[in-house]
Amino acid sequence: MSEIKKASMRDAYGKTLAELSVINKDIVVLDADLSKSTRTNLCADKFPDRFFNVGIAEQNMIGIAAGLAAAGKTVFASSFAVFAPGRCFDQMRLSVAQPSLNVKVVATHGGLTVGEDGASHQAIEDLALASVLPGFHVVVPADAVETAQVIRTAANIYGPFYIRLSRIDLPIVYQNDFQFILGKASLLCQGKDVTIIAIGVMIVAALNAAEQLQSENISCRVLNMSTLKPIDEQAIIAAARETGAIVTAEEHQENGGLGSMVARIVTRNKPVPMSFVAVKDSFGESGKPDELLKKYGLTASDIVREVYSVISRK
Amino acid sequence: MTIGDQIIPFSPVPDTELSAIAKQLRRDIVTMISTAGSGHPGGSLSAVEIITALYFKIMRHCPSEPGWIERDRFILSKGHAAPALYAALAESGYFPVSELATLRKLGSRLQGHADRTATPGVEMSSGSLGQGLSFGVGTALAAGLNNKKYRVYVLIGGGECNEGQVWEAAMSAYHFKLDNMVAFIDHNELQLDGTNHDIMNIEPLGEKWSAFGWHTIEIDGHNFNEILSSLEEAKNIKGQPTAIVAHTIKGKGISYMENKVEFHGKAPNPEETKKALQELA
Ligand SMILES: Cc1ncc(C[n+]2csc(CCOP(=O)(O)OP(=O)(O)O)c2C)c(N)n1
């Protein structure tokens, strides 16, 4: 698994936005002085009349997005994940979610893998914030191919979206003919002893863990739960029934993230032993992405350890 | 009104009728807040002339077609003044005046704070102060993108100007040269805990809006002549938005509420209500 091609999710976002803007004249793009980093500039350069840089003012950006959407526009608004939803949660709540407006908040630089910039820039709470808002669709693509698909889907489905992308290039998991379906988990590896449910950066860690466990005679199912909301209950219930144990893996706080969402469905439908690979109620710090993932317990070997733990509790 | 597919906008009333309409809105406000048993009379009453002038004279709108795409937009940023807006919407024909009695009740279309999803004619959900001007900027930008001629009016409280987002939005409206938008600041000098001066000094308010690049006009916000002429002036301003700092009296029109911070968020009791309605007879 180790030597696969990597690609930028952010580039995929900007390029897809530019492609969509050719046909969809209602797309408007907003950014808050980060367009070179979020890559909305790839679209802005081609469609300057439909791009508004609002400066370093995320609250205002979301309010403007809501006003544009109320007048019929499909609005993509981007910043870093610490700032949107971090800086504009209330605006996402009342100006966008409550009236259910067609605003897509696409945040880059999610998670610890932001790296050297440190705790101030590492969003590990964003998924909890976005998911708690009624009506918001919340999606975490796993690679550049899925990112392009998710952006297309968001442009075509009415309503608020929060989409989290990574700063670092991620290994390509999907072939170009992959078809993302909102609300459907994708099965990356079939297995019968345990299911690893992962998102984003943790997908490749999950696949590596499954490969190692296979050699130790443990058969792992691996699901990419890229849509956190609405979450794929059927896939989760089937995993609990058919494999009898679940480990979740996410680059996010344990509180309110993927693990807690999966646990809610498991306990209600088919309680089985579970374990959670996530950040345990702490902030990040400066370091290389790989060093941080190791220090904060977000690696393939952390998943392997938790798999043994859930299996022992079966 | 609509005739076939054709939208007939609301017909502006003669200037001489505006005072009587304002008085009716005040009666509606007092009655509905009293019936509800809670609400915000002070800041609803201070905004009555501004809202009356907009809905009955200035704005192109169509009560039977709240979503008419060409309509001028009124955005109530100070969402706690929803009763003033509901009164204007009812009296201009968006829904029956009798529905005002349902304010704040379970299942009502008239929520405690303005709600875009609930009430015909309400453009934006508000109640978290500071958000309306940004929404207005988005609405005004959309007019440019969609080649629409509509104008955007946003009503902000003086205390609301404490919020940083207001100034982010003010900066951006100037930056984007939005001459199709007007911000009214209902400057009644009181907020929730006390006077603007004691809680958070917002002066010099007019100079702040000017410094942010807005064409700024200061008026008596209860004087129709001044409201109407400032709005005419705003229509002729090119390349920049207009801020109308309207000096108003919180609780205006009801002697025991005027300039009383206690009536920011308190309903009058039955006796007080009777007295208020006598004063507004
Ligand atoms: C973000 C936010 N903080 C606090 C409040 C509570 N609140 C409601 S009204 C108000 C005072 C508003 O003062 P002003 O804008 O001057 O309104 P007016 O005096 O015209 O009623 C406050 C603090 C709120 N609604 N929103």
Side-chain angles (χ1 to χ4, degrees), chain B residues 27 30 32 35 61 92 123 163 185 192 221 243 248-249 257:
Chain B
R27 282 194 291 269
V30 171
M32 88 178 96
T35 307
H61 64 116
S92 64
E123 299 286 348
E163 281 285 357
I185 297 90
L192 191 152
T248 55
I249 293 169
M257 287 193 189

Side-chain angles (χ1 to χ4, degrees), chain A residues 26 28 49-50 52-54 56-60 63-64 66-68 70-71 73 90-91 94-95 98-99 101, chain B residues 73 115-117 123-128 131 134-135 137-139 141-142 145-146 150 165 168-169 172 175-176:
Chain A
D26 279 329
V28 179
D49 295 346
R50 286 192 269 146
F52 300 99
N53 197 329
V54 303
I56 312 157
E58 298 76 15
Q59 304 178 27
N60 189 35
I64 293 176
L68 283 161
K73 297 299 180 189
D90 189 32
Q91 288 72 18
L94 188 64
S95 285
Q98 196 275 346
L101 291 172
Chain B
R73 271 74 164 170
D115 184 335
R116 175 183 163 85
T117 66
E123 299 286 348
M124 181 201 179
S125 294
S126 54
S128 176
Q131 299 195 23
S134 302
F135 192 97
V137 170
T139 310
L141 283 173
L145 293 169
N146 293 337
Y150 64 75
Q165 190 187 352
E168 295 182 4
S172 65
H175 180 78
F176 296 129

Side-chain angles (χ1 to χ4, degrees), chain B residues 3-277:
Chain B
I3 299 175
D5 283 348
Q6 227 204 322
I7 303 262
I8 313 292
F10 182 85
S11 308
V13 305
D15 290 5
T16 48
E17 288 180 19
L18 290 170
S19 297
I21 295 172
K23 207 174 221 184
Q24 181 58 43
L25 296 198
R26 287 202 160 86
R27 282 194 291 269
D28 291 340
I29 291 167
V30 171
T31 310
M32 88 178 96
I33 294 177
S34 168
T35 307
S38 68
H40 300 79
S44 299
L45 292 164
S46 62
V48 163
E49 278 77 13
I50 297 168
I51 290 178
T52 303
L54 288 171
Y55 275 90
F56 293 87
K57 187 81 201 175
I58 296 291
M59 292 203 303
R60 270 165 56 81
H61 64 116
C62 179
S64 62
E65 287 291 326
W68 180 36
I69 202 139
E70 310 288 344
R71 73 194 181 281
D72 289 334
R73 271 74 164 170
F74 173 73
I75 292 158
L76 181 70
S77 189
K78 42 173 274 188
H80 60 281
L85 174 56
Y86 296 158
L89 291 172
E91 297 289 352
S92 64
Y94 283 79
F95 47 81
V97 173
S98 60
E99 200 170 331
L100 294 176
T102 68
L103 175 73
R104 289 177 167 252
K105 300 223 157 69
L106 189 67
S108 171
R109 295 201 287 181
L110 308 182
Q111 293 289 295
H113 289 78
D115 184 335
R116 175 183 163 85
T117 66
T119 320
V122 169
E123 299 286 348
M124 181 201 179
S125 294
S126 54
S128 176
L129 293 166
Q131 299 195 23
L133 198 61
S134 302
F135 192 97
V137 170
T139 310
L141 283 173
L145 293 169
N146 293 337
N147 290 317
K148 297 290 173 202
K149 293 274 173 282
Y150 64 75
R151 294 180 63 77
V152 181
Y153 301 95
V154 183
L155 180 64
I156 313 171
E160 188 177 6
C161 292
N162 296 174
E163 281 285 357
Q165 190 187 352
V166 170
W167 302 101
E168 295 182 4
M171 216 184 300
S172 65
Y174 171 67
H175 180 78
F176 296 129
K177 303 187 172 62
L178 300 177
D179 52 18
N180 56 350
M181 87 183 275
V182 171
F184 269 104
I185 297 90
D186 180 0
H187 193 4
N188 57 38
E189 293 183 26
L190 291 175
Q191 46 195 92
L192 191 152
D193 271 341
T195 63
N196 298 154
H197 180 271
D198 288 345
I199 305 305
M200 182 49 63
N201 190 359
I202 55 175
E203 299 301 339
L205 192 61
E207 288 175 38
K208 283 194 175 72
W209 286 93
S210 301
F212 274 74
W214 291 55
H215 177 73
T216 305
I217 311 170
E218 301 223 14
I219 62 164
D220 170 352
H222 298 305
N223 180 318
F224 280 114
N225 289 336
E226 294 191 26
I227 296 171
L228 297 178
S229 65
S230 65
L231 286 168
E232 280 312 314
E233 182 177 328
K235 279 185 188 161
N236 296 317
I237 299 297
K238 296 290 165 232
Q240 64 182 139
T242 295
I244 302 176
V245 177
H247 294 274
T248 55
I249 293 169
K250 198 153 175 168
K252 170 77 177 175
I254 297 165
S255 57
Y256 61 86
M257 287 193 189
E258 287 194 359
N259 291 313
K260 291 285 186 300
V261 78
E262 297 72 42
F263 277 101
H264 166 77
K266 186 179 78 159
N269 65 32
E271 206 168 307
E272 289 165 336
T273 305
K274 205 170 137 203
K275 183 157 187 297
L277 292 175

